[in-house]
Amino acid sequence: MTIKAAILGFGTVGQGIYEILQTKRRQLHKLIGDKVEVTSILVHNVHKERFLPDNVIVTDRFDDVLNQKPDVIFEATVGIEPSYSYLKQAIDQHIHVVTANKVMFAACGHKLIQRAEQRIGVGYEATTAAGIPIIGTLTTLLQTNNITKVQGILNGTSNYILTAMQDQNKTFSEALQEAQTKGYAEADPTNDIEGHDAFYKLMILSQLLYEKQPDWSAVSLTGISNLNETDLISAEEKGEKIRHVATLELVDGELKGTVEPLFLPPSHGLFGIEGVDNAISVTGDLVGSVTLRGPGAGQLPTASAMIEDFVQIWQTTPAKQFI
Ligand code: HSE
């Protein structure tokens, strides 16, 4: 059979998914035993010039996507709605879903997972730290450990900006512009530089690890936009680096979260995380502290996480006719 795929959103990440589905065609066939064809792509502006084969339907109506009866939907849009409603409908029609949408998943991911009842795949590796396989590691390889603390650099754009300002004497706006050109920043980079993006990722990890999240308003949240020259000089004088760090800790059964710029000494595990890289340290009662590091944003790392999710889902979830 041919697996029919739909892509919602054809920006940086959506195009990355399309590209990987073409370039890895043979390898995917070998891994999942079937060919994968993109049959529809949902966009805002259907009139924009795109170089796609005629058999790919480009539409601004989600119904057109559903009418193609896709087997999997890759969702690469932003914002809670209409994404959440679309994915609910997809799950109800037994379509596997793979998303990179952090805002939506932090707020509604648990409801999608519940709705899917383990019969339909819900992949969300790409929501958190792009290319770092943190969701897969926690769900499959650290299940017996009680995780008491998670700390990480969870926004690639902020880390890129901080590194460029501290190591290359770039201004904030120069560094931000570079991050935008390289496809790391969100279309509206406010979420990146004000810390919201890292916050959503921390909430996704919280939900996964503890099946709950701290009260959002109780999480102390500060971005990097207010850092000034004095902060940079002060860090340099002390031999420290400023990094934007998200922390979630279980203290006396209570979840405490903070998302803020910190001055890190060289001895800190996140001191050397540079450029667009992210890193996440988890502390488990059996394993101790484990740190994963890798690209935290970018077209191929993010799309890579989505394709790997899809392969995993296809290999492990019952085929449609048995649902
Ligand atoms: N804008 C995000 C970042 C993309 O810079 O981390 C990956 O989630």
Side-chain angles (χ1 to χ4, degrees), residues 75 77-81 83-84 87-88 91 97-116 121-128 135 139 199-208 213 216 309:
E75 193 260 326
T77 69
V78 291
I80 294 181
E81 289 295 354
S83 150
Y84 177 51
L87 297 195
K88 275 196 299 187
I91 288 169
V97 298
V98 176
T99 182
N101 186 334
K102 304 149 273 189
V103 179
M104 183 278 295
F105 211 80
C108 311
H110 60 290
K111 291 188 265 184
L112 291 178
I113 290 172
Q114 205 172 21
R115 202 174 189 100
V122 178
Y124 60 103
E125 184 67 69
T127 60
T128 306
I135 304 292
T139 38
F199 166 83
Y200 294 128
K201 292 165 178 168
L202 193 67
M203 293 305 106
I204 291 169
L205 292 175
S206 177
Q207 189 69 42
L208 168 60
Q213 301 177 21
W216 283 17
D309 262 349

Side-chain angles (χ1 to χ4, degrees), residues 105-210:
F105 211 80
C108 311
H110 60 290
K111 291 188 265 184
L112 291 178
I113 290 172
Q114 205 172 21
R115 202 174 189 100
E117 291 178 343
Q118 291 179 348
R119 297 174 307 142
I120 315 295
V122 178
Y124 60 103
E125 184 67 69
T127 60
T128 306
I132 303 179
I134 182 66
I135 304 292
T137 301
L138 293 175
T139 38
T140 60
L141 302 174
L142 287 173
Q143 298 185 62
T144 319
N145 275 262
N146 292 329
I147 307 292
T148 50
K149 184 175 175 183
V150 182
Q151 185 168 61
I153 293 174
L154 298 179
N155 183 262
T157 300
S158 294
N159 208 57
Y160 184 88
I161 294 172
L162 290 174
T163 309
M165 287 171 77
Q166 290 170 106
D167 299 351
Q168 296 154 29
N169 290 321
K170 297 252 166 82
T171 64
F172 185 92
S173 52
E174 279 169 352
L176 172 58
Q177 202 168 0
E178 276 181 21
Q180 287 175 301
T181 307
K182 288 173 187 274
Y184 302 152
E186 303 297 302
D188 171 2
T190 313
N191 273 358
D192 293 304
I193 61 175
E194 299 301 347
H196 302 288
D197 181 78
F199 166 83
Y200 294 128
K201 292 165 178 168
L202 193 67
M203 293 305 106
I204 291 169
L205 292 175
S206 177
Q207 189 69 42
L208 168 60
L209 288 169
Y210 307 110

Side-chain angles (χ1 to χ4, degrees), residues 297-316:
Q299 183 178 56
L300 288 182
T302 310
S304 155
M306 296 181 81
I307 297 291
E308 295 289 357
D309 262 349
F310 159 64
V311 170
Q312 171 79 7
I313 287 170
W314 205 261
Q315 289 172 336
T316 57

Side-chain angles (χ1 to χ4, degrees), residues 16-29:
I17 295 162
Y18 186 83
E19 184 185 324
I20 295 176
L21 289 175
Q22 312 313 312
T23 57
K24 295 282 182 176
R25 182 173 286 271
R26 278 162 178 261
Q27 198 167 338
L28 285 168
H29 193 172

